[in-house]
Every structure is written in structure tokens, then in C-alpha cells.
Amino acid sequence: AGWLIHGTLTDEVLASKSREELQQMLCECAAMTQAVLDALPDLVFVLDEEARFLFYHTSGPGLYLNPNVFLGKRHDEVMPQEIRELFAPALERARRGETSEYSYPLEMPDGQRWYAARVSPWAVRGRFYGVVVGIREITERKLLEAKLTEVTLSDSVTGLPNRTLFFDRLNQCLRRLEREPELGAALYSIDIDRFKIVNESGGIAVGDEILRQVAERLCSVVRPADTVARLGSDEFAVLVEGFDDEAEALRIAERLSEVLHQPFACQGRTYSLTCCIGIVLIESPLSEPSQLLPEAELAVAKAKRLGPGSRIFYDEHLHMQAAQQLELERDLRQALEAEDLEVFYQPIFRLGEHEISLAGVEAL
């Protein structure tokens, strides 16, 4: 209570008070402090400038350590390593007059629980005396955050990572390749052939069940460390890290294709599907995730033009073809708007035995 008084009253005011008045003020301050602490749901610790535990109070959850274990001891003598590493920088910031927050998990008898700590400096007239630490359990908040993250980053039908999470995995892959460029990685863009027909004939429920089976089959081909994601209606992507060469990348594509060619059973009916696959070899750690997926989609589009079940590697020629197609479409639109097109009719003649007759024209 004394340090609270010195923090709010001047020496002159204190000097003017009698011993009885000071005692009364101390009693009032102590009562107020106790009331504030009792109103808090938090566990409160006070540590001195050497991070030695001086005091604790709890009106909520009990302590997971007996007070005899930590009172009078330094923080680094009794706390686990993971908590010490979080507290040490917070203590240094408190010495500069700053307040810090951090959170950490603890394994308790009833399972893992999460706690948030707020470390505030305890100083009187510029002198640092220590810190006050408030601890609050945030397990329910962490569980809610995890659930929200799962909803935000996963596909609602298959439970696979969605496009957002897949881009994050691509980023992580590229960072690993920067450290270990010899690992190699491959990106597969997979498009299910004729899935629209399944959806229209069997209904949405059947389509969703087929998608879940597709997800399970794709996951069965790759390792747990690899990533399978659903990017759209019938579009999937697979990221595989660590393989020997292009031939191995093609063998993986063949296995992905084979598991999807096997019949799907749903609601008493059997559905046969195929897929087209576009493959991008991620050989340069300087690649951008935003470039890689469009490249894979260009390859799968070319595979679809070749026919169901096709597999194509991306190369620069595909990119040039797509760029030329876009440029041609743009030029034609501009020409139509500017009326820059001129039509020539070239006659087509039919050659008979004794005459030449006009059969039609070709418009150029």
C-alpha cells in the first residue's frame, strides 16, 4: 500500500499528516487495493527489479505451483524455459517504462491450456522497483481462433486447405528452397473431367461426396508433409517437395491420375471420372507463388485441349501462346471498336464439264 500512496501523494502532503491520519490512509489504500484485486479475474504477481517473486493474488483459477515454490525466488529459477524466454524481453521493456503482453500454453492435468500475460512496470519517481504481471486464461479464445482459422483457411466441403492457405504453403516451400535449393518441388494443377455432368445428374449432395472422395484419394498418393488443396469447383492443387528429377515428377502425376480413374461409388451408383493435370517444376527459389499457379493452370488448360486424362508440363512456349492469344483478342476488340477491319470477298468457282459457275465466296 505504501508505494501506491507515494505514487499519488507529494512529500508536502504526507509531512502535514499525523501518524494516525497516515495509518488511516494506509488502511484505506490497502482496502482499496484488496478490493481491486478481488474484482479482477486475473492471477497477479509482483516481482522486484531482480525478477524475484514478492507477492501474488488470485480470486479466480488456482495456482498451478505451490506458493512456497516461487515466493522469494527469481523468475528464471522456477519457470519453464519457454516462459522464461517470453518474460525476459518483457522485463527489459518494463525497465524502459513499457508495458508488454505475450501468451503461452501450459500442459495441465485436464489438457493444454493457454494463458495471456501483461507485464507492467512498477516505478516510483523514475526509479524502477520491478513489475506487476497479470495472468489471464485464454483457452476458450484460442480454441475459437483456431476454429475461425480452420473455417477461413480450409475448404468447407473437403476440409482441404483452400487457395489462401495453399499460397501460404507455396511461400513456405520457396523459403525452404532458398535454404536447400537441391530439394526441388513440383506443383500439380488438377481439373476433374466432366464433373459438371456428375453434379447435374446426381445433384449437389452427390457432387460434394465425390469431391470428398477425390480429396481422400489425392491425399493417399502423397506424403503427409505434402499439400493437397481444393482451389475451386472441380479444381485441385498438389504441392510435392523433395524428389529426384522430372521423371519422378511425372510418375507422381501418373499416380494422381490413376487413383482418380478408378470408379467412384455414391448413393448406390457408380461414376467414372478422369482428370487433366498441369505440372510446374519449381526449380528456382526466386519464383513467386502468384506466378506458379497461373503457370500450372496454363498447363492444365493445354492438357484439357489434348483430351481427358492428359498430363502436360508447363514451359515458356505455353506462356508465349497464351500471351499471343490475349494480344490477338485485344487487337481484334480494338479493331472492331475503331472500325479498322476491312472485308474482302474472294469468289469460289465450281468447275463443271462445259462451264465455270460461282459456288460461293470466302470472306477475308
Side-chain angles (χ1 to χ4, degrees):
W3 60 265
L4 283 176
I5 289 178
H6 283 290
T8 56
L9 297 178
T10 64
D11 290 340
E12 291 77 8
V13 173
L14 290 172
S16 68
K17 301 296 181 182
S18 67
R19 181 181 180 86
E20 291 75 16
E21 288 175 322
L22 288 175
Q23 287 179 338
Q24 178 63 26
M25 292 175 66
L26 285 171
C27 289
E28 292 175 0
C29 188
M32 181 186 68
T33 303
Q34 188 65 45
V36 170
L37 290 172
D38 290 341
L40 292 175
D42 305 337
L43 173 62
V44 178
F45 294 104
V46 178
L47 296 86
D48 66 15
E49 58 186 333
E50 295 179 357
R52 185 178 287 104
F53 286 93
L54 301 180
F55 169 85
Y56 82 94
H57 175 83
T58 178
S59 55
L63 295 170
Y64 70 92
L65 286 177
N66 187 299
N68 294 328
V69 174
F70 62 86
L71 284 178
K73 304 285 183 62
R74 291 197 313 273
H75 186 279
D76 59 7
E77 292 178 321
V78 294
M79 290 293 133
Q81 175 68 25
E82 56 270 22
I83 297 181
R84 296 202 304 267
E85 292 176 354
L86 295 168
F87 176 77
L91 177 62
E92 291 307 311
R93 286 192 288 271
R95 294 183 190 278
R96 301 192 298 268
E98 302 172 8
T99 298
S100 302
E101 295 182 358
Y102 56 84
S103 60
Y104 56 90
L106 281 178
E107 293 298 330
M108 307 297 279
D110 58 347
Q112 188 185 72
R113 294 191 170 275
W114 277 86
Y115 298 90
R118 182 179 176 86
V119 182
S120 301
W122 163 27
V124 180
R125 295 171 183 171
R127 180 187 167 188
F128 179 72
Y129 280 83
V131 292
V132 178
V133 184
I135 307 291
R136 177 171 296 182
E137 185 177 347
I138 56 170
T139 304
E140 290 186 5
R141 192 183 84 189
K142 281 291 184 179
L143 291 174
L144 179 60
E145 288 175 354
K147 188 173 292 186
L148 288 173
T149 299
E150 182 180 350
V151 169
T152 304
L153 299 179
S154 63
D155 173 57
S156 60
V157 175
T158 64
L160 293 176
N162 61 13
R163 185 178 291 266
T164 301
L165 182 54
F166 189 71
F167 270 110
D168 181 69
R169 299 282 176 85
L170 270 176
N171 269 312
Q172 295 179 33
C173 170
L174 294 178
R175 286 197 293 269
R176 281 190 287 271
L177 285 177
E178 288 178 356
R179 297 190 300 269
E180 302 175 84
E182 71 280 358
L183 287 179
L187 170 61
Y188 302 85
S189 179
I190 302 172
D191 191 283
I192 309 300
D193 299 319
R194 297 182 292 109
F195 179 74
K196 183 179 179 182
I197 299 175
V198 173
N199 243 351
E200 292 174 348
S201 62
I204 294 177
V206 169
D208 287 351
E209 176 58 29
I210 296 294
L211 289 173
R212 284 189 282 270
Q213 292 185 35
V214 168
E216 291 173 3
R217 293 188 186 186
L218 293 177
C219 290
S220 71
V221 172
V222 298
R223 301 160 301 182
D226 299 323
T227 301
V228 179
R230 183 185 177 212
L231 305 184
S233 173
D234 57 352
E235 301 170 18
F236 292 80
V238 177
L239 178 63
V240 176
E241 299 183 55
F243 54 85
D244 296 330
D245 51 26
E246 185 175 314
E248 176 62 21
L250 185 57
R251 283 192 290 271
I252 294 171
E254 290 172 350
R255 292 200 296 271
L256 293 169
S257 181
E258 286 170 2
V259 295
L260 298 187
H261 284 195
Q262 299 169 14
F264 292 84
C266 184
Q267 296 186 5
R269 296 182 62 183
T270 300
Y271 298 88
S272 296
L273 299 174
T274 57
C275 69
C276 290
I277 302 178
I279 312 165
V280 175
L281 294 178
I282 309 174
E283 299 172 327
S284 171
L286 301 177
S287 300
E288 290 290 336
S290 58
Q291 297 174 347
L292 292 171
L293 201 52
E295 290 175 355
E297 290 170 347
L298 276 175
V300 79
K302 175 66 178 296
K304 290 174 70 174
R305 290 195 294 271
L306 294 178
S310 300
R311 299 178 288 276
I312 293 291
F313 278 97
Y314 171 82
D315 58 33
E316 286 296 329
H317 182 63
L318 288 178
H319 178 75
M320 291 175 59
Q321 281 185 328
Q324 290 171 354
Q325 179 71 19
L326 288 174
E327 185 177 358
L328 177 59
E329 291 175 3
R330 184 181 66 249
D331 289 347
L332 284 173
R333 282 195 299 270
Q334 292 175 350
L336 284 170
E337 292 170 0
E339 299 184 352
D340 284 342
L341 293 180
E342 187 175 358
V343 182
F344 294 86
Y345 295 100
Q346 177 170 291
I348 300 174
F349 295 101
R350 180 185 295 108
L351 302 180
E353 289 185 1
H354 303 290
E355 64 179 358
I356 298 175
S357 59
L358 184 66
V361 293
E362 178 183 9
L364 304 177

